[in-house]
């Protein structure tokens, strides 16, 4: 296998990413569903007028080997509105796991203030976010992680 590279993905990558994600979910979520989600998250998202995709892929040999993304929205907290970055779909093949953190780097380039929301993280993923100084609310009702102001 050629050396993996990490890069931002674009709309032209949607098809091969959706095939990769279908495989990663053991075909429980079909590629057509992933493609519809991508359109909803970036192309038709009213909070993303630029239609810019947000996230990275790991590629090797022309194949997607890893993926992580987020999509933007707005959340009201104590009467103030904040940009939110909704984390989704962190999948990495075992053969390239040492590149896993590289695909979440896009979160760290966002300008605040804002809130990173991850509502489906496993205990292992929570530990990773917390190691980067993201925090969970005291009520622990949901996995909200703050982004630096």
């Amino acid at each position: 296998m050629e050396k993996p590279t990490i890069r931002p993905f674009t709309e032209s990558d949607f098809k091969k990413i959706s095939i990769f994600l279908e495989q990663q979910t053991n075909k429980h979520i079909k590629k057509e569903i992933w493609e519809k989600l991508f359109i909803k998250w970036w192309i038709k998202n009213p909070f993303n007028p630029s239609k810019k995709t947000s996230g990275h892929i790991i590629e090797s040999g022309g194949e997607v080997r890893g993926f992580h993304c987020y999509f933007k929205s707005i959340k009201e907290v104590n009467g103030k509105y904040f940009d939110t970055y909704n984390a989704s779909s962190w999948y990495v093949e075992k053969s390239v796991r040492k590149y896993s953190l590289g695909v979440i780097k896009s979160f760290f380039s966002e300008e605040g203030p804002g809130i990173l929301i991850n509502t489906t993280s496993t205990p292992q993923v929570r530990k990773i976010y917390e190691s980067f100084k993201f925090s969970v609310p005291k009520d622990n009702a949901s996995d909200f992680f703050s982004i630096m102001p």
Side-chain angles (χ1 to χ4, degrees), residues 3-119:
K3 184 177 184 214
T5 58
I6 298 172
R7 67 170 176 84
F9 64 89
T10 65
E11 186 176 351
S12 65
D13 295 311
F14 285 0
K15 184 172 183 120
K16 65 182 177 179
I17 294 170
S18 66
I19 291 168
F20 169 76
L21 292 172
E22 181 182 62
Q23 294 166 347
Q24 292 295 304
T25 61
N26 295 317
K27 299 191 177 189
H28 291 290
I29 304 174
K30 300 290 185 199
K31 64 182 187 240
E32 295 82 10
I33 299 297
W34 286 112
E35 289 182 46
K36 286 179 183 176
L37 286 170
F38 299 159
I39 297 298
K40 178 182 175 181
W41 291 341
W42 296 294
I43 307 307
K44 294 186 176 179
N45 182 345
F47 303 109
N48 187 34
S50 70
K51 301 186 184 342
K52 179 182 175 275
T53 58
S54 306
H56 288 81
I57 60 173
I58 300 171
E59 265 185 323
S60 179
E63 299 288 322
V64 175
R65 306 277 184 207
F67 175 76
H68 183 262
C69 70
Y70 64 94
F71 54 95
K72 295 179 182 178
S73 62
I74 294 176
K75 176 117 178 117
E76 181 185 358
V77 178
N78 296 329
K80 295 180 182 177
Y81 290 91
F82 293 90
D83 290 330
T84 59
Y85 307 93
N86 301 279
S88 181
S89 313
W90 189 9
Y91 291 94
V92 179
E93 288 181 356
K94 285 185 180 183
S95 64
V96 296
R97 287 269 163 90
K98 69 179 183 179
Y99 299 93
S100 293
L101 292 179
V103 293
I104 66 167
K105 70 180 182 181
S106 57
F107 285 122
F108 304 108
S109 64
E110 287 294 341
E111 294 182 20
I115 300 170
L116 166 62
I117 299 175
N118 185 341
T119 59

Side-chain angles (χ1 to χ4, degrees), residues 123-148:
Q124 295 85 357
V125 170
R126 286 177 69 132
K127 287 178 185 175
I128 291 169
Y129 282 124
E130 289 169 346
S131 75
F132 284 101
K133 307 298 182 217
F134 289 82
S135 60
V136 180
K138 290 182 176 138
D139 68 7
N140 211 12
S142 181
D143 292 346
F144 290 83
F145 298 92
S146 60
I147 285 188
M148 294 153 292

